[in-house]
Amino acid sequence: MKSSNRCIATTLAIAASISQTAAFITPSSSRVSPTQLNVVGEQASSIGPAQVLRNLKEKLPQISWLAEGGGSASNKIDIPDHVASVLAQPSAPKREAESDERTERIRNRAKQASEDAMKLRGMLIGEDDEKAWWRTQKNIPEGGRVVTKDDPLTVIVAGGGLAGLVVAAAAHAKGMKVALFEQASSYAPYGGPIQIQSNALRALQQINPAIFEEIVAAGTCTADRVSGLKIGYRKGNKLAGLYDAGDWLVRFDTIGPALEAGLPATVVVDRPVIQQILVKHGFPEGTVRIKSRIQQYEDLGKGRGVAVTLEDGTKAYADALVGADGIWSQVRKNLHGLDDGAGGFAASGAAGGALDDAEARKLARDTVQIAAKADRRFSGFTCYAALAPHRASNIENVSYQILLGEKKYFVSTDGGGDRQQWFALIREPAGGVDPEPTPEDPHPKLTRLRKEFAATGAGDADGNVWDPFALELINASSEEDIKRRDLYDGAPLLTTLDPQRLLSPWSKGPVALCGDAAHPMMPNLGQGGCQATEDGYRLIEELSKVQNTKEVPGYLGGYSRVRVIRTAIIQGFAQLGSDLLVDFDLMMTIPLLGPFFLTMTQLSMPFILRYLYTPSF
């Protein structure tokens, strides 16, 4: 198995390197004009052999007979034999059918957790804030101080999303003194449920068993059903394979690789519930402080720690600073010496929940400028997302599926409590916004999505009639619950030749990055939050070895070097999977190429999952 994992890692590393390099070393002809703010990756397009094949296909005569007929009956079966055999194993989780009691319990807990967050339960406020430990600068001599149980290492964490909460919980579990600064004015988690996959559950289990047990108990298992890729609309031909709308292309299970690695089964949990559990079990009350955006910091040098300045001028002091403040990280801006404007307000994590439509429209435009300065890549996709209070028609057999198309795709996953979380990713330039509601069209987002995924009549703008499952979920959602944002990612390492960053990609002195601040990734593998969780575990494991504060930079550099290869592989593979959609329609209609592509995808998924679900990181 170790040899197999090394081969997988090597293969994925090559894919990651190709993907990252292509994204950031872009030919000048494919870059957008200066008037479009020069955002690299504005629109992905066919290149090389793919473009040659596309041009050839367009010139060839079209034979209608080849497209006649129906798709294979085997592609309409939700759970094929190879998945059924894994799910039937005695150690595999058994599907518990949804019930009214369970639905009410899950929804009420999410509601209560959100209310607790809004009421600032467990937050640092009032008199406790005035006498917080981090307000006083210690008199530390050159050469550092000895770390003891009575005088532990002190850590400031920037960002109150999942990455920051995990770092804070891990630091407290190791006996460190920790403070978490969140920039948002209200602690309302953005988005719906999030998948805590098997590898992230193992990290939480090692950090704090109580947190692990609570999250598993609060979650909905998604490993007890099939996952996979479907075709969104009728495609193919007799030579490459015919597929009807909604036919399966690739089906796999997630429990087999988890059982092999001795890991718990993946669960989906509401973000506010995860936040509530981490705040309750992870660290003392008063650890989290809102309205606390870190503006800059100073490395005091020679083991004396770091001095942090908040946006309102407040000073804070600690032995180490961890930037878990998202893709537009202000800590990262300072760490890498990026231009002014490279740090921005987060559109996810704790901050994003406070955004209304007007703020989101402004943020979409501002983000284009921030990305250009922050060296982040626009993926080419804008994403609509919502949590529909709806029992999906295939809920008992399918936990996660993607309906694939040429210019867009539709992702859905069980959200627990008879709810479906869905994402509609549509290829278009960055910075776009929806029209404001009018009496003639009070629901502009719904109007657009119903056209994009039309399941009747002439179909969408390209004449494709979509599988009705997409509209089933879209129509079960309200206009107010649908959020829109452009998707950006970035390379953790490959855009620089700076020797310091090559040696220590995410850290310098007593400061380090984790989560999206270090390695933002596309959502295709559902590993963004999971890799952030792994980061938090590994970072604090390294810091726990510090015996004198002068050792902090060395151990943070070690964390960075350990983590960067694994995250680059996963990040690159998620990016590559998204970029391949540009030529999806091409692959599905070319003899040999289409079947080969699908076969390789089917065969590779267990190996990819085995790499993701490693018990050590």
Side-chain angles (χ1 to χ4, degrees):
M1 178 62 71
K2 289 183 178 179
S3 175
S4 173
N5 281 343
R6 282 196 295 270
C7 292
I8 297 164
T10 302
T11 302
L12 291 179
I14 293 171
S17 297
I18 293 171
S19 179
Q20 298 287 8
T21 303
F24 286 89
I25 306 176
T26 309
S28 58
S29 61
S30 64
R31 293 178 182 267
V32 296
S33 67
T35 58
Q36 292 175 288
L37 300 168
N38 197 30
V39 180
V40 178
E42 180 79 19
Q43 284 284 72
S45 59
S46 301
I47 58 174
Q51 187 59 52
V52 173
L53 288 172
R54 187 175 293 281
N55 293 340
L56 178 62
K57 178 188 170 186
E58 290 175 356
K59 294 177 181 177
L60 290 174
Q62 303 301 307
I63 304 174
S64 59
W65 171 80
L66 289 175
E68 294 175 357
S72 171
S74 63
N75 294 329
K76 306 179 192 308
I77 299 172
D78 283 336
I79 303 181
D81 291 343
H82 71 273
V83 173
S85 62
V86 177
L87 296 178
Q89 294 182 33
S91 53
K94 304 307 174 188
R95 173 70 182 147
E96 176 186 351
E98 296 290 342
S99 66
D100 292 342
E101 182 277 328
R102 187 173 182 280
T103 296
E104 183 178 6
R105 171 166 49 84
I106 290 175
R107 293 188 183 186
N108 284 343
R109 178 156 190 183
K111 180 181 177 181
Q112 185 60 55
S114 295
E115 291 175 354
D116 287 347
M118 294 298 291
K119 293 176 182 177
L120 302 183
R121 295 276 173 85
M123 303 291 108
L124 180 62
I125 54 176
E127 294 182 3
D128 291 337
D129 180 40
E130 296 300 321
K131 55 185 180 181
W133 62 264
W134 44 263
R135 289 181 178 272
T136 303
Q137 183 177 11
K138 290 184 177 182
N139 185 18
I140 303 174
E142 288 189 11
R145 65 175 177 85
V146 175
V147 175
T148 66
K149 184 177 181 180
D150 294 330
D151 192 10
L153 199 70
T154 57
V155 181
I156 288 176
V157 181
L162 179 61
L165 290 167
V166 170
V167 170
H172 178 69
K174 290 293 185 180
M176 301 173 194
K177 192 175 288 186
V178 62
L180 193 156
F181 293 161
E182 165 54 43
Q183 66 179 334
S185 59
S186 63
Y187 206 47
Y190 170 84
I194 182 174
Q195 281 198 75
I196 307 295
Q197 296 190 47
S198 299
N199 53 312
L201 286 173
R202 170 58 60 85
L204 291 173
Q205 189 177 38
Q206 293 177 325
I207 291 170
N208 185 325
I211 291 174
F212 165 77
E213 291 166 6
E214 280 264 337
I215 285 179
V216 170
T220 296
C221 181
T222 58
D224 55 5
R225 285 156 286 167
V226 73
S227 297
L229 310 177
K230 288 183 172 183
I231 186 70
Y233 43 79
R234 180 177 171 81
K235 201 69 178 177
N237 55 55
K238 288 183 172 69
L239 299 179
L242 275 168
Y243 297 88
D244 294 322
D247 277 3
W248 285 102
L249 302 174
V250 174
R251 286 158 291 189
F252 56 88
D253 66 276
T254 60
I255 191 60
L259 293 176
E260 289 179 17
L263 298 178
T266 294
V267 295
V268 61
V269 190
D270 286 274
R271 290 175 189 264
V273 173
I274 296 172
Q275 174 189 292
Q276 181 192 59
I277 291 170
L278 285 164
V279 169
K280 178 180 178 181
H281 296 285
F283 35 75
E285 285 198 14
T287 296
V288 181
R289 185 181 195 262
I290 64 167
K291 299 182 183 179
S292 303
R293 175 177 168 80
I294 291 179
Q295 188 64 27
Q296 60 188 26
Y297 66 82
E298 178 187 358
D299 178 357
L300 300 177
K302 300 180 180 180
R304 292 176 297 185
V306 60
V308 169
T309 303
L310 303 184
E311 197 169 42
D312 64 1
T314 301
K315 292 282 190 178
Y317 304 90
D319 298 316
L321 168 64
V322 178
D325 47 343
I327 185 171
W328 314 119
S329 167
Q330 184 73 6
V331 175
R332 175 179 177 267
K333 170 192 173 296
N334 285 277
L335 184 73
H336 294 332
L338 301 176
D339 293 339
D340 289 342
F345 190 77
S348 57
L355 297 176
D356 59 25
D357 273 355
E359 291 170 320
R361 287 189 184 91
K362 181 179 185 301
L363 186 65
R365 299 185 180 99
D366 291 349
T367 300
V368 178
Q369 301 180 41
I370 296 170
K373 296 180 178 180
D375 194 22
R376 295 308 198 192
R377 184 196 83 133
F378 174 54
S379 67
F381 287 97
T382 192
C383 176
Y384 291 83
L387 179 65
H390 172 73
R391 181 181 296 221
S393 55
N394 59 8
I395 188 66
E396 297 301 335
N397 293 325
V398 181
S399 64
Y400 175 87
Q401 69 177 45
I402 302 178
L403 288 171
L404 291 176
E406 174 193 355
K407 299 175 182 176
K408 56 205 166 196
Y409 58 105
F410 187 89
V411 184
S412 69
T413 184
D414 183 6
D418 270 351
R419 300 169 303 169
Q420 281 282 309
Q421 189 171 25
W422 58 263
F423 308 89
L425 287 85
I426 302 172
R427 186 174 297 284
E428 62 180 47
V433 295
D434 293 295
E436 294 190 22
T438 64
E440 294 75 25
D441 186 6
H443 310 114
K445 286 179 285 191
L446 280 170
T447 297
R448 180 187 183 182
L449 290 168
R450 285 166 179 160
K451 291 178 180 177
E452 294 281 0
F453 297 95
T456 58
D460 64 14
D462 294 320
N464 297 311
V465 179
W466 280 77
D467 179 73
F469 185 73
L471 277 186
E472 177 186 330
L473 303 188
I474 290 169
N475 288 331
S477 308
S478 68
E479 179 80 6
E480 294 73 24
D481 289 337
I482 300 174
K483 305 298 181 183
R484 174 182 177 172
R485 62 189 175 103
D486 295 332
L487 296 182
Y488 292 82
D489 59 10
L493 178 62
L494 298 180
T495 61
T496 181
L497 295 177
D498 180 353
Q500 189 278 322
R501 283 186 64 187
L502 291 171
L503 180 65
S504 181
W506 306 336
S507 73
K508 185 177 183 181
V511 182
L513 305 174
C514 76
D516 282 351
H519 48 73
M521 58 184 69
M522 289 291 286
N524 302 64
L525 298 179
Q527 278 285 318
C530 297
Q531 290 306 302
T533 303
E534 289 186 12
D535 287 347
Y537 167 77
R538 176 50 54 194
L539 191 155
I540 299 303
E541 282 293 304
E542 295 300 314
L543 275 187
S544 69
K545 302 172 186 176
V546 171
Q547 297 181 340
N548 186 295
T549 54
K550 67 182 180 183
E551 301 169 352
V552 168
Y555 282 112
L556 287 179
Y559 143 77
S560 179
R561 288 186 289 276
V562 167
R563 290 290 301 153
V564 71
I565 299 300
R566 175 168 165 80
T567 55
I569 291 168
I570 295 170
Q571 181 189 39
F573 199 74
Q575 188 180 98
L576 189 63
S578 177
D579 290 348
L580 280 174
L581 293 178
V582 176
D583 294 304
F584 172 76
D585 64 318
L586 179 68
M587 289 182 284
M588 293 301 297
T589 55
I590 295 181
L592 299 180
L593 181 61
F596 175 79
F597 171 70
L598 292 181
T599 300
M600 293 306 297
T601 303
Q602 181 70 68
L603 293 176
S604 67
M605 281 308 303
F607 294 99
I608 294 171
L609 288 169
R610 286 182 186 120
Y611 181 72
L612 295 177
Y613 294 172
T614 177
S616 60
F617 21 80

